[in-house]
Amino acid sequence: MVHDGVSWRARTQRAAWVLSAALLPLIAFGPSVVHAQSIMRTPSVNVGSRVPTINPTVGPRINPGVGARPSVSVDRVARTPPSRIDTMSSTLRVRPGVGVPSTLPHARFSPNLYPACQYAFRGPDGECFDRPVKSAGGGNGASAKKGNGGAGKNNAQAAVDLRAVKNELVAEIDGALSIAEADELARRHGLERIASQSFRLLGGTIGLFRIVDNRPVDTVRRELAAEGSVRSVQLNFRYFLQDQTKASTEGDAAQYAVAQLRLPQAHALARGMNVTIAVIDSGVDAKHPELANSVADTFDALVSKEGPHTHGTGIAGAIVAHAKLMGSAPEARLIAIRAFGASSKGAESTSYVILRGLDYAAEHGAQIINMSFAGPKDPLIERGIAATAARGILMVAAAGNAGAKSQPLYPAANPNVIAVSGTDAQEKLFAASNRGNHIAVAAPGADIFLPAPDDKYQITSGTSFSAAYVSGVAALMLERNPALKPGDVRTILTKTARDLGTPGRDDQFGAGEADAFAAVTAAAAAPAVPLASVSDKPAGEKTPTPDPTADNTSVSRALNDGPPSIASDKSTANAAK
């Protein structure tokens, strides 16, 4: 009996163990399977904003005690797309068989003297400042002006202050005042007279003053304007040259702009002879082989000791280069006016200095004035431009490199000025180019091969060079027909431009890309021949045979010529203060 009981209990335990082993997998895995299927059937995904809101004036918060664990703000900064201007790089491509064959070697893009501007440091008018100027919401400065709160007004005022030289005022004073009387006027208002001169262009005397007693600028301005011997007072606004930094890369150094503008065809008809162009810019290296015998006059509106700069030398080259390169008007005469000097942000100028440049150009026979710079709307410069236009002098300006969201920059937005936007080798809009209904025409401005100081060369970008090319095209037109007025030149340029982008006029290219050959042809026939008849390139058109007696060294060079050296870092020493 005992044996049978033990046997029964043993069989019962074994049966229980077998049953437990069979049920164990169901007990262990049943809930997990149900949970996984519920996730698959009803996914719950939390996707953050693709465009995170970032305060550009506040740096990321990082706990230095935690290694390799960045906070959320750091992650957002890392995921934010970089500024198109800061990282912009377009590849220089030249279509085979078009225009002048390249005889230049492959070259490296040279570093530019003037760094690209980061978003947080860009002012409401596109200027680049040395400290952040954006509002806390990351706006473009305009939004701050719309609010009624004190913070918005403070942001707007800060942006305005950065657009002008600190503690400086420009005033029109009675020309009958002696120097001693002008100094006494300044002392009564806590000012120092830095300079003053009579401007024949304006028919008045303009003085530059500095506040020496730390009073608010607006207070001093109101008190000075109340003087009977003072006719107007304003801030001394700042202006900046319009070029862009290029990343170091390699590309074909051939001048695609030559083919796009149809310069060889145009030069068979005119080369800018006996036309004077004033270039208000930074210093020009008049000894460069590309500019030999082209700089007829120089004027230093800064009264500085700085040497030549890459920007001014490049602008001059875009107009008159005639050695290894081809400018748009290789036989034009230049008045090289230095109005921009080196600063921590590149090369900049002011209202007073630019007015000196305009006055000199108008008084010394300039027929065209190239202004490859941009800044805010400035009452004093607006007066200068109006007076210059009244003398029948043509003015061309860069649209600016502040991009699609920028408001119009000046002097390009002045109706008396031909505003030029930039294009690239594929005839697309230069990424940083300003837009607007004030744009007249476009011209090549991306990856332009140009001379640099010390017999060197550079590849650089900016609407600065677009404007310079158009100034040269205008010189060709004036050589062909000296009777043309500024309004005639504008009309011919726009009606002969090659339409780009959406059909018809638009805010990116204006009337289209300038066509030198069509413009010169129309200038010779104006006003008898309808301008629209020469705006399109006829099918199968052949390049006119150049005059064999003409200087065509810029068209073709011997293949065994030594390669041009590229601007090195040593040339940037001229930009250091």
Side-chain angles (χ1 to χ4, degrees):
M1 291 294 291
V2 173
H3 176 75
D4 291 342
V6 172
S7 177
W8 177 81
R9 285 196 296 270
R11 286 197 298 271
T12 302
Q13 289 176 352
R14 282 197 296 270
W17 291 340
V18 171
L19 181 60
S20 298
L23 292 176
L24 183 61
L26 295 177
I27 296 172
F29 298 109
S32 297
V33 172
V34 172
H35 179 63
Q37 289 180 355
S38 69
I39 291 176
M40 294 175 64
R41 289 175 181 173
T42 55
S44 177
V45 182
N46 183 11
V47 180
S49 172
R50 295 192 178 200
V51 185
T53 301
I54 300 173
N55 186 345
T57 65
V58 179
R61 298 178 181 177
I62 302 175
N63 184 348
V66 180
R69 295 181 62 185
S71 64
V72 175
S73 61
V74 176
D75 184 27
R76 287 187 177 182
V77 170
R79 293 174 183 270
T80 303
S83 168
R84 294 182 65 187
I85 295 178
D86 292 345
T87 60
M88 176 176 46
S89 63
S90 55
T91 304
L92 186 101
R93 298 192 183 109
V94 178
R95 291 172 289 182
V98 179
V100 182
S102 172
T103 59
L104 297 170
H106 284 2
R108 287 190 175 275
F109 289 92
S110 61
N112 204 287
L113 289 185
Y114 314 115
C117 186
Q118 295 183 1
Y119 175 79
F121 293 80
R122 189 172 294 282
D125 289 323
E127 308 98 320
C128 190
F129 299 115
D130 55 0
R131 60 183 184 272
V133 297
K134 301 302 175 187
S135 62
N140 62 3
S143 60
K145 298 178 183 179
K146 297 177 181 178
N148 295 323
K153 293 180 180 179
N154 291 337
N155 286 335
Q157 184 61 47
V160 171
D161 291 344
L162 286 173
R163 290 159 48 193
V165 180
K166 185 178 181 180
N167 292 331
E168 286 190 4
L169 294 173
V170 180
E172 181 177 3
I173 60 177
D174 189 344
L177 292 178
S178 65
I179 292 178
E181 290 172 331
D183 287 340
E184 175 58 29
L185 170 68
R187 279 192 294 271
R188 287 201 305 270
H189 294 277
L191 299 169
E192 174 190 9
R193 184 182 62 85
I194 301 173
S196 62
Q197 76 171 68
S198 175
F199 288 85
R200 294 184 63 182
L201 180 64
L202 298 183
T205 298
I206 306 296
L208 176 61
F209 300 90
R210 179 183 296 120
I211 301 173
V212 296
D213 60 2
N214 295 320
R215 285 185 300 155
V217 174
D218 285 343
T219 300
V220 178
R221 182 168 56 175
R222 285 194 302 269
E223 293 178 356
L224 183 61
E227 287 276 355
S229 57
V230 177
R231 296 172 183 172
S232 67
V233 185
Q234 69 164 68
L235 301 176
N236 192 21
F237 289 104
R238 302 158 71 186
Y239 290 81
F240 297 88
L241 299 175
Q242 296 299 294
D243 63 350
Q244 291 285 335
T245 297
K246 292 303 299 177
S248 179
T249 182
E250 292 189 359
D252 191 338
Q255 292 180 284
Y256 74 88
V258 170
Q260 283 191 7
L261 294 170
R262 295 208 286 170
L263 292 180
Q265 298 93 322
H267 289 170
L269 304 175
R271 293 169 62 85
M273 185 178 294
N274 298 324
V275 179
T276 301
I277 304 174
V279 173
I280 300 177
D281 215 281
S282 55
V284 173
D285 185 0
K287 297 180 180 179
H288 197 289
E290 298 290 349
L291 311 180
N293 302 317
S294 293
V295 180
D297 188 14
T298 61
F299 173 63
D300 191 343
L302 288 172
V303 193
S304 69
K305 297 181 180 179
E306 294 179 11
H309 284 207
T310 54
H311 192 276
T313 304
I315 292 296
I319 299 173
V320 298
H322 53 262
K324 296 179 183 295
L325 307 180
M326 179 190 290
S328 52
E331 292 184 13
R333 294 188 299 248
L334 291 187
I335 301 177
I337 299 175
R338 184 204 298 274
F340 284 78
S343 72
S344 60
K345 296 164 291 300
E348 68 175 77
S349 188
T350 65
S351 306
Y352 185 80
V353 174
I354 289 175
L355 183 61
R356 293 193 73 202
L358 277 173
D359 185 75
Y360 189 92
E363 290 296 315
H364 289 78
Q367 297 160 270
I368 301 168
I369 300 178
N370 184 85
M371 299 179 288
S372 290
F373 53 85
K377 189 173 185 179
D378 182 332
L380 187 63
I381 299 304
E382 291 285 285
R383 285 181 59 194
I385 288 175
T388 302
R391 294 195 180 194
I393 300 172
L394 178 71
M395 289 168 283
V396 181
N401 299 340
K405 295 183 179 180
S406 171
Q407 56 186 293
L409 300 181
Y410 290 80
N414 186 294
N416 289 311
V417 177
I418 294 176
V420 186
S421 62
T423 58
D424 61 18
Q426 289 74 46
E427 296 187 328
K428 296 181 180 179
L429 188 71
F430 171 52
S433 181
N434 276 35
R435 288 83 157 159
N437 59 14
H438 63 289
I439 303 297
V441 292
D447 301 331
I448 306 299
F449 194 77
L450 296 168
D454 303 322
D455 295 352
K456 294 180 174 61
Y457 291 79
Q458 59 179 314
I459 295 180
T460 188
S461 300
T463 56
S464 280
F465 312 108
S466 308
Y469 276 128
V470 171
S471 290
V473 172
L476 304 182
M477 297 165 63
L478 289 180
E479 178 194 341
R480 194 69 170 165
N481 187 348
L484 293 176
K485 305 298 182 185
D488 301 329
V489 174
R490 178 192 291 270
T491 299
I492 293 172
L493 279 172
T494 54
K495 289 194 174 182
T496 60
R498 184 168 56 258
D499 192 18
L500 297 178
T502 57
R505 200 214 164 277
D506 57 62
D507 287 351
Q508 294 188 345
F509 306 99
E513 187 168 61
D515 186 326
F517 177 61
V520 173
T521 303
V529 176
L531 298 176
S533 66
V534 296
S535 61
D536 296 325
K537 183 176 180 180
E541 176 193 75
K542 296 182 179 179
T543 301
T545 303
D547 182 354
T549 63
D551 176 14
N552 290 307
T553 55
S554 59
V555 178
S556 63
R557 300 287 295 175
L559 292 177
N560 58 358
D561 277 359
S565 57
I566 300 301
S568 66
D569 291 339
K570 293 182 179 179
S571 66
T572 61
N574 290 327
K577 259 190 174 179

